[in-house]
Amino acid sequence: MKIFDRKKDLNTFTLQQRKKDCTIGLVPTMGALHSGHISLVKKALSENDLVVVSIFVNPTQFDKKDDLEKYPRTFEKDIDLLRQVSDKIVVFAPTVDEIYEGKVASESYEFEGLDKVMEGEFRSGHFDGVGTIVELLLRTVAPDRAYFGEKDFQQLQIIRKMAEIKHLPYAIIGCPIEREPHGLAMSSRNERLSKTTREQAGFIHNTLQTAKTKFGTESALNIKDWVASEFQGNPLFELEYFEIADEHTLTPALKIQDNQKYRAFIAVYADGVRLIDNLRLN
Ligand code: PAF
C-alpha cells in the first residue's frame, strides 16, 4: 500500500492516476479507524477506482489542548486495517509541519451562519480548522468524490457550504451513521470511555429515538425540556446541548414547518469525553 507524507508527492500521484482515467475517492480521517470509517472507505471503493484515506489529527480544529493530546493515535493498527480492506487504498499521513508549514493557524471562513450554532457555539474556531484542512485535502487530491460521516452532520453541511463558496468541483457525499450494537454512534473517542460508561451509552441514542416519537405531537421546547430532565436523572452523562434544527440551515426549530426537514442534535460529556450524535426526525 502506498503511504504518502508529502502533499506534493500525493498531488503528483493523483494527477498521474487521473491521466489514466482513474476516478478517485477521498476519505478524510483523523485516524483511530473504526467500522464507521471503514464503511466510508467501502462506499468510496464501490464508487471510485482508487481511494485516498488521509490520516491526520488536525490541531487547528481542537479548541482544547487536552482533547488534542488525548485524541487516540493508532497509526500501525489503522494501516493494518486498511490493508485488509483493499489494495486500491492509498494513505496520506502528513506531519503537522508538512500541512501548516510552520504556521499552525486556520483560515477564516464565512459559512453563512452554519457555524454559529451547536458545535460552533461550544467549540470556538472548530469549523475554521475543519474548513482549512478539508479545503487543503480537497485541493491536494482533487478527488471525484469526498466522503464524510453524518455523525458530524453539522460538519458535513459546513463542508458542502465551503465547497460551494470556494467553487470546489468535488462531490461531497454524506454517509449514514454506524452504531455500536446498543446504539452508541461509532467514534474514535468511544475508546476513551470506561467499560461501564460505554455499555450504558446506548442511553444517548435511545433518548434521541424517544425524542423522535415525541416530534410532531409535542413542541420543540417541550421535547428539549424532556431531554434535559432525562439527563438530570442519569449521573453518567452530562448534557451539553440538545437541539432540534432545520437540516439545511441548522437554525433551531421554534415552530415546526410542514415542508422542512428536521434533525435532533446532541452533545454529551461522559467520563470527560465529549460525544455527539444526531437523528433525522421527519
Ligand atoms: O471528521 C473528522 O474526522 C475530521 O473533522 C476531518 C473531516 C477528518 C477533518 O480533520
Side-chain angles (χ1 to χ4, degrees):
M1 187 167 65
K2 281 194 193 323
I3 304 179
F4 293 96
D5 58 6
R6 303 244 168 226
K7 292 176 276 195
K8 202 167 161 289
D9 296 342
L10 176 67
N11 183 253
T12 309
F13 173 78
T14 53
L15 277 175
Q16 279 166 358
Q17 298 303 311
R18 194 164 299 288
K19 279 194 187 130
K20 291 191 226 158
D21 274 345
C22 248
T23 54
I24 301 172
L26 169 67
V27 181
T29 82
M30 298 205 296
L33 302 182
H34 50 67
S35 38
H37 295 113
I38 298 305
S39 74
L40 300 184
V41 172
K42 286 190 172 157
K43 176 145 172 74
L45 283 164
S46 73
E47 296 178 348
N48 303 276
D49 298 317
L50 186 84
V51 173
V52 177
V53 178
S54 63
I55 298 180
F56 179 65
V57 182
N58 174 35
T60 61
Q61 71 186 77
F62 286 81
D63 59 334
K64 293 197 176 88
K65 201 166 161 253
D66 181 55
D67 193 24
L68 171 62
E69 277 163 8
K70 287 192 179 144
Y71 200 84
R73 289 157 171 90
T74 58
F75 186 69
E76 298 304 329
K77 221 170 122 205
D78 294 346
I79 297 297
D80 283 349
L81 194 60
L82 292 172
R83 273 208 183 96
Q84 285 164 34
V85 175
S86 166
D87 57 4
K88 293 186 179 135
I89 297 172
V90 166
V91 170
F92 179 46
T95 60
V96 172
D97 247 12
E98 170 65 15
I99 292 294
Y100 287 103
E101 299 175 0
K103 188 167 176 272
V104 185
S106 305
E107 287 200 27
S108 197
Y109 291 87
E110 173 46 72
F111 294 121
E112 299 177 4
L114 293 177
D115 57 330
K116 300 288 181 272
V117 290
M118 300 186 288
E119 292 303 283
E121 195 182 331
F122 288 91
R123 300 181 71 188
S124 157
H126 170 65
F127 287 120
D128 278 341
V130 170
T132 304
I133 186 64
V134 173
E135 182 176 357
L136 184 141
L137 290 169
L138 287 169
R139 290 191 190 279
T140 305
V141 177
D144 295 86
R145 300 168 194 88
Y147 298 81
F148 299 88
E150 285 186 350
K151 181 177 75 69
D152 299 287
F153 192 83
Q154 185 174 9
Q155 164 175 283
L156 170 64
Q157 298 299 58
I158 282 176
I159 290 168
R160 287 192 168 124
K161 180 59 71 187
M162 191 261 294
E164 181 193 315
I165 294 169
K166 296 276 178 167
H167 307 289
L168 301 178
Y170 317 117
I172 306 296
I173 312 232
C175 304
I177 300 175
E178 291 285 310
R179 297 185 179 278
E180 297 192 3
H182 62 330
L184 175 66
M186 297 265 184
S187 165
S188 306
R189 289 192 161 88
N190 295 354
E191 297 302 319
R192 290 175 50 208
L193 299 173
S194 71
K195 192 166 172 282
T196 320
T197 307
R198 194 160 175 171
E199 278 165 12
Q200 298 296 317
F203 171 73
I204 302 167
H205 181 54
N206 290 343
T207 308
L208 288 181
Q209 277 186 313
T210 310
K212 180 173 177 157
T213 64
K214 292 175 181 288
F215 184 79
T217 55
E218 292 188 35
S219 72
L221 208 61
N222 273 0
I223 301 175
K224 277 177 83 161
D225 285 348
W226 174 80
V227 170
S229 69
E230 283 297 288
F231 275 87
Q232 264 155 21
N234 190 330
L236 280 182
F237 302 99
E238 189 194 327
L239 182 65
E240 186 174 61
Y241 68 77
F242 169 84
E243 205 59 80
I244 293 179
D246 179 294
E247 259 197 16
H248 296 290
T249 62
L250 301 181
T251 46
L254 299 173
K255 206 158 182 283
I256 309 299
Q257 313 279 349
D258 282 348
N259 52 349
Q260 306 284 34
K261 291 255 175 285
Y262 295 97
R263 257 176 204 257
F265 296 85
I266 197 163
V268 171
Y269 276 96
D271 294 343
V273 181
R274 193 168 181 280
L275 303 169
I276 60 170
D277 199 352
N278 67 82
L279 189 69
R280 175 176 266 179
L281 296 177
N282 62 341

